Amino acid sequence: MPGGDPGARLLTPRGRGGVAIVDLSGPARWDLAARLLGRDAIAGLRVGTPPRLLGLHLAGGIADRALVVVRPASIELHVTGSPALVAEMERALGGFAPDPALAPAERLLREAIGTAQLALALEQRGLDFAAHLEWLRSLPPPRRQVEAAATRERSVAALALAWPVRLVLCGARNAGKSTLFNRLAGGERVLAGPTPGLTRDPVAEPVELGGYPYLLVDTAGEGEPADALEAEAIVRARELGRAALRILVVDGCVGPGPHDAELRATATLVVRNKVDLPQAPWPPELGEPLPLSCADPAQAFALRARIGMELRLRRGLRAAGPAGGPAALDPAQWAALAALA
Ligand SMILES: Nc1nc2c(ncn2[C@@H]2O[C@H](COP(=O)(O)OP(=O)(O)O)[C@@H](O)[C@H]2O)c(=O)[nH]1
Ligand SMILES: [Mg+2]
């Protein structure tokens, strides 16, 4: 929230989490604390008071409890990491101060959604990319070219690991996109079922596949839309798919539909789904698909590993993990590296 009271900061990453920590500092911290906890409750608090659980007054009632830690120059509220609760607190406080710009490795360390990202962040935190650029600049041109090429190669993998790419599930209605989405996202995030047209607004979820991060997007399928709302959903799904990686999901029982040949041209991966059922013939011009079944939720782990591996190979990425030397972790660092060439 721009223009927020700079006395309140969110110390934990935004998004779903086990815990969120809100830090109140500056001269207004006791007033800010009173807004959330009530004047009476904080009256007895002072530096040195042991951490105390107090009711959190939000939206006109007690919404939750906060562990209140009074530090010499600040007050910390530890609350459950529910995004709705944090948003309510942000509203009550008049906003959080913007995050200070973090070094890319620090940002990655805070926001990592998997162990490969963490390993990369820890490695890069111990390396000085700016100093590495200086060193590259100081080299005689022939050697500089060789070293810069090696840094660029490391950086391609590091950037792919640090930044999620959108991964859009596309294909005909009823092909099993939403079921696959739920298996990959590790839960029942979206409605899936035999009624075509269940998915309307695209739904997105961060996921780690084969060590690399993706923002997985489920879309309304291609096909004759039942109404205007659904037609709109299909158009939006097509737009979304344009600047992203795509998995084309085909119902193996039915075989490819009229739009699949076109979708296939830009898909990173084609999935022939429902191989647990009798299969329709597969036209050779659609290439070799990845045969899958999403029927069994217990197979979700194996499914994620399989798809993660296929995507990684098709994207030409090496196994996810530390880069093996200084690497660019964000677009600004990549631009500085590219400018060396
Ligand atoms: N037997 C079988 N059924 C599946 C499989 N994947 C999806 N389904 C079913 O196919 C129907 C359509 O699935 P859904 O995910 O909603 O398709 P969408 O329209 O592409 O999102 C649902 O009844 C699913 O349970 C599979 O691998 N095997
Ligand atoms: Mg669906």
Side-chain angles (χ1 to χ4, degrees):
M1 215 179 278
D5 190 318
R9 282 185 308 147
L10 183 61
L11 298 187
T12 42
R14 284 180 187 272
R16 276 192 266 166
V19 94
I21 304 176
V22 173
D23 173 276
L24 308 174
S25 51
R29 64 185 183 278
W30 289 103
D31 289 331
L32 293 173
R35 272 192 226 171
L36 297 176
L37 305 166
R39 288 258 166 232
D40 294 347
I42 65 165
L45 294 179
R46 51 192 49 84
V47 177
T49 310
R52 198 174 277 176
L53 268 178
L54 295 176
L56 198 55
H57 298 254
L58 292 171
I62 295 193
D64 201 351
R65 301 220 283 174
L67 183 71
V68 182
V69 182
V70 185
R71 301 195 183 281
S74 68
I75 304 165
E76 273 178 17
L77 307 186
H78 299 228
V79 298
T80 59
S82 143
L85 185 76
V86 172
E88 258 326 304
M89 291 175 80
E90 183 172 19
R91 196 165 309 143
L93 290 166
F96 292 132
D99 264 346
L102 286 178
E106 294 298 328
R107 180 195 60 79
L108 188 58
L109 200 60
R110 282 175 57 162
E111 295 175 4
I113 61 167
T115 50
Q117 278 191 330
L118 260 184
L120 175 69
L122 288 170
E123 176 202 43
Q124 295 297 317
R125 191 163 71 152
L127 300 169
D128 186 340
F129 187 74
H132 179 68
L133 277 182
E134 275 314 308
W135 174 74
L136 286 174
R137 280 191 199 105
S138 73
L139 293 174
R143 169 109 196 270
R144 187 198 308 156
Q145 266 185 12
V146 173
E147 294 291 347
T151 307
R152 274 197 296 277
E153 197 185 307
R154 285 195 299 269
S155 299
V156 169
L159 286 166
L161 189 50
W163 296 83
V165 60
R166 272 187 313 129
L167 178 62
V168 178
L169 300 179
C170 60
R173 283 187 281 152
N174 217 39
K177 297 178 298 299
S178 296
T179 311
L180 179 60
F181 181 96
N182 285 329
R183 299 284 179 265
L184 296 178
E188 297 297 310
R189 262 295 267 121
V190 293
L191 288 176
T195 319
L198 266 184
T199 311
R200 291 195 159 165
D201 281 339
V203 190
E205 184 80 10
V207 295
E208 189 206 34
L209 298 171
Y212 285 89
Y214 296 89
L215 185 64
L216 187 66
V217 182
D218 187 23
T219 60
E222 295 283 346
E224 280 313 304
D227 55 35
L229 195 63
E230 207 188 314
E232 165 82 19
I234 292 175
V235 170
R236 284 180 55 192
R238 282 202 204 121
E239 281 166 1
L240 261 178
R242 249 175 234 143
L245 300 179
R246 304 205 217 179
I247 296 181
L248 169 61
V249 185
V250 178
D251 183 340
C253 316
V254 179
H259 300 278
D260 286 347
E262 183 196 333
L263 290 171
R264 199 265 163 277
T266 52
T268 307
L269 182 63
V270 181
V271 163
R272 180 181 196 171
N273 192 28
K274 309 194 189 180
V275 292
D276 55 298
L277 299 174
Q279 296 290 287
W282 186 266
E285 63 272 20
L286 273 194
E288 198 58 47
L290 180 69
L292 276 190
S293 169
C294 300
D296 183 2
Q299 292 298 314
F301 186 81
L303 199 74
R304 277 200 287 279
R306 184 87 193 277
I307 291 199
M309 169 76 91
E310 291 289 335
L311 287 171
R312 178 170 81 70
L313 295 178
R314 278 154 215 258
R315 294 173 71 195
L317 297 171
R318 59 185 180 180
L329 277 190
D330 72 5
Q333 291 188 334
W334 174 257
L337 179 63
L340 271 183

